């Protein structure tokens, strides 16, 4: 048997010595093995915390100046990027164009394999051009093995346009080098099922994207304390969540919180500002706009002005 752990094989393609008998394990043994291996995904993200923090700062700075955040990937990596982007509007009430996912093969690739399209670097470059990406934008290239041409093409095109670039891969730099503003390596090691990067690599990538997008939104003032005060109140569950936040943070009854929420146009952040300052909706809107939507800063500014 050849040595599949040699330098010639990317880390994500190597054979895991702890799962050589995978097809002989009981169900309980399978679950136990997965649990032990998944711990490596968490450890890989922890090892990249400085790079993730840098990525948050870079992206938040660009978005605060009117830029956008783009995730680019193929296969599992692309789907994870689209997933993270699609969850920003309901969680943070952001416009759909603020965070976007670009996947090789387009929307059809979300439900049907189109991995052959990842080999076209020109398609990645074209996707960047189609979205008119500029120096205000941030492009995150996600590629578990680090070599996906579609991602490389997109990142090169983004750099040519002056955009900030972030490279996210699960192989060490010495195996795949790439010149990006931020280089994030999530070294999860060989998969239980050799080469199946939807496993540990995918888990670590999802964790990293959770951190990146949430961190950026925190920096943009989309969060107060640990509450999603910009949540879109679009169904009963989210209305209940909004009312609970208002009750917790103001001490109001559910009925009073509901009245306040309606007066604010179903915007928790504005409802809180109105309650804490006594301002009406239009004046509260203007105050938030003056402070880039940051509730804590807007309230502090109002109170300071009242003391003058």
């Amino acid at each position: 048997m050849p040595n599949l752990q040699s330098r010639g094989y990317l880390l994500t393609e190597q054979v895991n010595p702890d799962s050589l008998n995978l097809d002989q394990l009981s169900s309980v043994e399978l679950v136990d093995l997965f649990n032990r291996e998944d711990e490596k995904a968490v450890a890989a993200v922890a090892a990249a915390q400085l790079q993730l923090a840098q990525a948050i700062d870079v992206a938040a700075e660009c978005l605060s100046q009117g830029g956008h955040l783009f995730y680019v990937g193929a296969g599992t990596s692309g789907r994870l990027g689209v997933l993270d982007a699609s969850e920003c509007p309901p969680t943070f009430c952001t416009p759909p164009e603020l965070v976007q996912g670009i996947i090789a093969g387009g929307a059809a690739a979300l439900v049907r394999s189109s991995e052959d399209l990842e080999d076209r670097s020109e398609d990645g470059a074209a996707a960047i051009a189609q979205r008119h990406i500029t120096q205000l934008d941030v492009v995150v290239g996600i590629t578990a093995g680090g070599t996906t041409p579609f991602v490389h093409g997109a990142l090169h095109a983004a750099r040519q346009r002056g955009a900030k670039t972030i490279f996210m891969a699960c192989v060490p730099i010495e195996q795949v080098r790439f010149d990006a503003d931020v280089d994030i390596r999530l070294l999860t090691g060989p998969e239980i099922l050799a080469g199946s990067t939807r496993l540990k690599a995918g888990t670590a990538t999802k964790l990293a994207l959770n951190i990146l997008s949430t961190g950026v939104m925190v920096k943009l003032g989309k969060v107060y304390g640990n509450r999603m005060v910009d949540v879109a109140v679009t169904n009963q569950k989210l209305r209940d969540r909004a009312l609970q936040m208002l009750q917790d943070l103001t001490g109001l009854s559910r009925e009073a919180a509901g009245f306040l929420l309606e007066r604010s146009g179903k915007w928790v952040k504005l409802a809180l500002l109105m309650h804490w300052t006594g301002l009406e909706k239009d004046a509260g809107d203007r105050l938030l706009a003056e402070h880039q939507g940051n509730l804590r800063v807007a309230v502090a500014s109002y109170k300071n002005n009242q003391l003058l």
Side-chain angles (χ1 to χ4, degrees), residues 284-296:
D285 265 329
R286 290 194 294 272
L287 182 60
L288 280 172
E290 289 172 11
H291 297 284
Q292 294 74 51
N294 190 304
L295 175 60
R296 191 178 298 277

Side-chain angles (χ1 to χ4, degrees), residues 14 64 128 153 176 196 203 215 234-235 294:
Q14 293 176 5
S64 70
I128 297 299
V176 178
S196 182
T203 298
T234 55
N235 63 22
N294 190 304

